[in-house]
Amino acid sequence: MDFQSLGLSPRLVGRLETLGLVEPTPIQAQAIPHALEGRDVMGLAQTGTGKTAAFGLPLLQALGAIGVKPAPKRPVGLVLAPTRELAKQIADTLIGFARGSHLKVALVVGGASMNRQADALRKGPDVLVATPGRLIDLIERKALSLDETRYLVLDEADQMLDMGFIHALKRIARLLPAERQTMLFSATMPAQIESLSRSYQSDPVRVEVARPGLAVEKIDQQVHFVGQSDKLALLKSLLAAHKDERSLVFARTKHGAERMMKQLVKAGFSAGSIHGNKSQNQRERTIAQFRDGRITILVATDVAARGLDIAGVGHVYNYDLPNVAESYVHRIGRTARAGAEGRAVAFCSAEEAASLKAIEKVLRASIPVAGGKPWTKPAEARDKPRRPSGARPRRRGQRSRGGMRAAA
């Protein structure tokens, strides 16, 4: 099967050949024909399987057939993504597909100049790629209207829900024309996605090419059972063993990611960080350094769990396990890109034992143990100081036998 047999125009097929894309991936082969027919599509596939082309190619073909320049501030196509990194990746990919045509793609995300983004919208882009928060900001400023948006894509919809965008998505849905084509793509299928689909889509065709939540088979997964205070030493040891390889390290919090990056740099590693406290320019500059090899270690929060498509990431370290089990799948999907092999190493403290169980439930498999012994008791039960048998806990302010008050 090739792209031409899917019904794509000769111009798009020629452009894909220029980019070295000849054979469609399974999600592209199944989704594109339905999308070209104007059907609403719900696509379920693992991260890194080519979903951007699966919705982007039919979207560009439909817009190219209109032949009328969009009005200022009124894009005809809208793609929503949960993070700045993913939105930028989508925009760059669509710009590459559209090169040589009259179609224009604009990007609006947080952390960048809203005035410049408003200027770009006044030029009337055909496709707008946006994060939900910044989209609403621009709508409130009357720099953008969705009343002529006929094509909508929700990419990585499950992460948008995980990040708390449900109210923003409901608000956006009310601003869109009822007559439109909606494509929804996700790597996992929690119950909320079904509900979101009912809100946005009409009789969608469901395309599923991999079991939702299944990790890429070429990823060698391991878990180390290690105390929280011992994690940094273990990480340094593992990074030192693969010092020339590109590694991605996930931390749970922004402050934790920044602190870890500084500790790694102090220890002699070439590292940078991206998280929500960084401006968009800072994040893009650090990602460029990671892609070019100027730094070999990128420490990140879940802003990089999706949308970071960099070849040659040999290791993904889950220094902190994610609170949402499905996020683990997306994190480790940053390695083993484009058919390559990769390794994912998880660190599990006693406090994270329940998170590990939830992850293995999503994977429907146990992660092989590389070090330490599995925690047998909940952290709270093991770490809580024991009182003498029969002793009663003192209430706040109660005097002890010696007349001293119990410490508050």
Side-chain angles (χ1 to χ4, degrees):
M1 182 178 292
D2 56 23
F3 283 104
Q4 187 171 359
S5 67
L6 300 181
L8 291 173
S9 67
R11 192 209 71 78
L12 276 176
V13 173
R15 182 63 193 147
L16 291 172
E17 290 175 351
T18 301
L19 296 171
L21 302 174
V22 178
E23 184 177 345
T25 66
I27 188 65
Q28 293 162 5
Q30 294 191 40
I32 288 175
H34 294 297
L36 290 174
E37 292 174 356
R39 293 285 304 275
D40 283 3
V41 175
M42 176 188 285
L44 298 172
Q46 299 170 14
T47 184
T49 54
K51 286 180 284 185
T52 302
F55 64 74
L57 294 171
L59 172 61
L60 293 175
Q61 180 154 316
L63 294 173
I66 294 176
V68 178
K69 181 177 173 58
K73 307 180 185 180
R74 286 173 165 78
V76 181
L78 172 63
V79 181
L80 290 175
T83 67
R84 305 174 196 175
E85 281 68 31
L86 180 56
K88 186 177 187 304
Q89 177 191 314
I90 292 169
D92 289 344
T93 301
L94 295 182
I95 290 170
F97 291 158
R99 187 162 289 123
S101 73
H102 66 277
L103 299 176
K104 304 299 179 185
V105 179
L107 172 69
V108 297
V109 296
S113 169
M114 199 178 305
N115 289 331
R116 291 182 183 176
Q117 292 174 354
D119 289 341
L121 291 171
R122 279 192 285 270
K123 296 177 182 178
D126 299 270
V127 184
L128 177 63
V129 184
T131 49
R134 179 49 59 95
L135 185 80
I136 290 177
D137 291 341
L138 289 161
I139 290 172
E140 290 177 343
R141 288 184 56 169
K142 301 191 183 303
L144 171 67
S145 173
L146 302 181
D147 58 5
E148 293 184 13
T149 301
R150 304 293 174 181
Y151 300 92
L152 173 67
V153 178
L154 303 176
D155 192 26
E156 301 290 10
D158 51 347
Q159 190 184 17
M160 282 195 270
L161 297 183
D162 291 343
M163 295 175 67
F165 284 129
I166 182 62
H167 298 297
L169 293 176
K170 288 181 178 179
R171 181 175 175 184
I172 292 167
R174 293 193 293 267
L175 301 174
L176 293 161
E179 291 296 323
R180 65 173 188 272
Q181 181 184 15
T182 302
M183 291 181 275
L184 185 154
F185 284 79
S186 179
T188 60
M189 192 63 185
Q192 282 184 303
I193 293 296
E194 293 275 12
S195 176
L196 188 66
S197 173
R198 288 192 295 270
S199 300
Y200 270 87
Q201 297 185 298
S202 175
D203 189 27
V205 57
R206 177 165 168 162
V207 174
E208 183 175 345
V209 299
R211 191 174 70 209
L214 183 65
V216 178
E217 293 181 357
K218 290 191 175 182
I219 300 176
D220 176 19
Q221 298 179 66
Q222 300 178 352
V223 61
H224 288 264
F225 293 96
V226 56
Q228 189 67 32
S229 61
D230 297 322
K231 282 186 177 182
L232 185 61
L234 176 60
L235 177 65
K236 289 178 181 178
S237 173
L238 295 174
L239 289 173
H242 305 278
K243 201 161 187 177
D244 296 329
E245 296 183 29
R246 215 176 257 122
S247 298
L248 181 57
V249 183
F250 281 102
R252 182 175 293 119
T253 68
K254 296 177 285 188
H255 298 294
E258 189 67 13
R259 182 172 60 252
M260 188 196 311
M261 180 273 291
K262 291 178 179 178
Q263 290 170 323
L264 291 176
V265 170
K266 186 176 181 180
F269 293 97
S270 174
S273 65
I274 61 171
H275 48 73
N277 283 349
K278 300 274 189 177
S279 71
Q280 186 62 21
N281 286 338
Q282 288 175 316
R283 285 157 72 159
E284 290 178 10
R285 185 164 56 248
T286 301
I287 290 172
Q289 292 172 342
F290 186 56
R291 180 179 284 110
D292 297 342
R294 284 174 282 169
I295 60 175
T296 57
I297 300 167
L298 181 62
V299 183
T301 57
D302 275 328
V303 299
R306 310 190 199 196
L308 193 66
D309 189 2
I310 296 177
V313 176
H315 291 76
V316 171
Y317 295 95
N318 278 283
Y319 186 89
D320 297 313
L321 295 183
N323 293 322
V324 178
E326 286 82 1
S327 294
Y328 173 86
V329 178
H330 302 295
R331 287 182 177 189
I332 70 172
R334 300 310 99 199
T335 187
R337 308 290 287 183
E341 296 183 354
R343 176 172 293 178
V345 182
F347 295 176
C348 180
S349 67
E351 294 80 6
E352 296 170 306
S355 296
L356 179 64
K357 286 185 178 180
I359 288 167
E360 292 180 330
K361 184 177 180 181
V362 168
L363 295 174
R364 303 180 193 179
S366 296
I367 300 175
V369 178
K373 294 182 179 180
W375 306 109
T376 56
K377 295 181 180 180
E380 294 79 11
R382 191 187 61 260
D383 297 338
K384 184 185 256 185
R386 292 186 177 181
R387 292 190 300 270
S389 177
R392 294 182 180 180
R394 285 196 298 268
R395 294 189 298 274
R396 182 182 178 92
Q398 179 181 341
R399 292 185 182 275
S400 64
R401 289 183 179 180
M404 298 294 291
R405 287 186 179 273

